[in-house]
């Protein structure tokens, strides 16, 4: 049995939207686990979803792919995805893969 190395928590929910915190390792395995839950949340009618990434300890290309696909899914659902407190190494990876061009960042 494999133990999940990723944690998704709801931090706040109000009229403005939903704030989630992601912690742990976002890789091929955990992205596959996390994707369906994120898509489900994007389909709940929130105007905004803030994804706090300060707790990420690792993120590979599969994790970045998940973030970009989730952003597209949110846009399709009429929801705005905002990433906050993105760790510097993740920012660097996003830049190398040019994924930062499509994502929206915000201050915490």
């Amino acid at each position: 049995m494999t133990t999940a190395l990723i944690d998704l928590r709801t931090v706040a929910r109000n009229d403005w939207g939903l704030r989630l915190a992601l912690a742990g390792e976002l890789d091929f395995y955990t992205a596959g686990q996390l994707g369906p839950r994120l898509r489900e949340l994007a389909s709940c009618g929130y105007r905004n979803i803030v994804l706090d990434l300060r707790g990420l300890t690792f993120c590979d290309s599969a994790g970045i792919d998940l973030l970009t696909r989730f952003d597209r899914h949110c846009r399709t659902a009429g929801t705005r995805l905002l990433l906050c407190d993105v760790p510097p190494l993740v920012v660097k990876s996003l830049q190398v893969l040019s994924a930062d061009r499509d994502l929206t960042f915000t201050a915490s």
Side-chain angles (χ1 to χ4, degrees), residues 1 15 25 36 40 46 48 53 66 68-69 76 78 92 97 99:
M1 185 170 139
D15 292 339
E25 299 179 7
E40 177 186 330
Y46 293 105
N48 300 287
L53 301 180
L66 172 69
T68 57
R69 284 185 294 115
T76 300
K92 179 94 171 147
L97 296 171

Side-chain angles (χ1 to χ4, degrees), residues 12-62:
R13 190 178 299 188
N14 55 38
D15 292 339
W16 186 82
L18 179 66
R19 184 178 183 96
L20 304 167
L22 193 57
E25 299 179 7
L26 185 52
D27 58 16
F28 177 79
Y29 177 72
T30 59
Q33 294 178 325
L34 191 59
R37 180 67 180 132
L38 288 175
R39 288 188 299 277
E40 177 186 330
L41 289 168
S43 301
C44 289
Y46 293 105
R47 290 183 324 191
N48 300 287
I49 293 179
V50 175
L51 192 54
D52 184 332
L53 301 180
R54 82 182 79 203
L56 277 187
T57 56
F58 177 81
C59 183
D60 68 6
S61 60

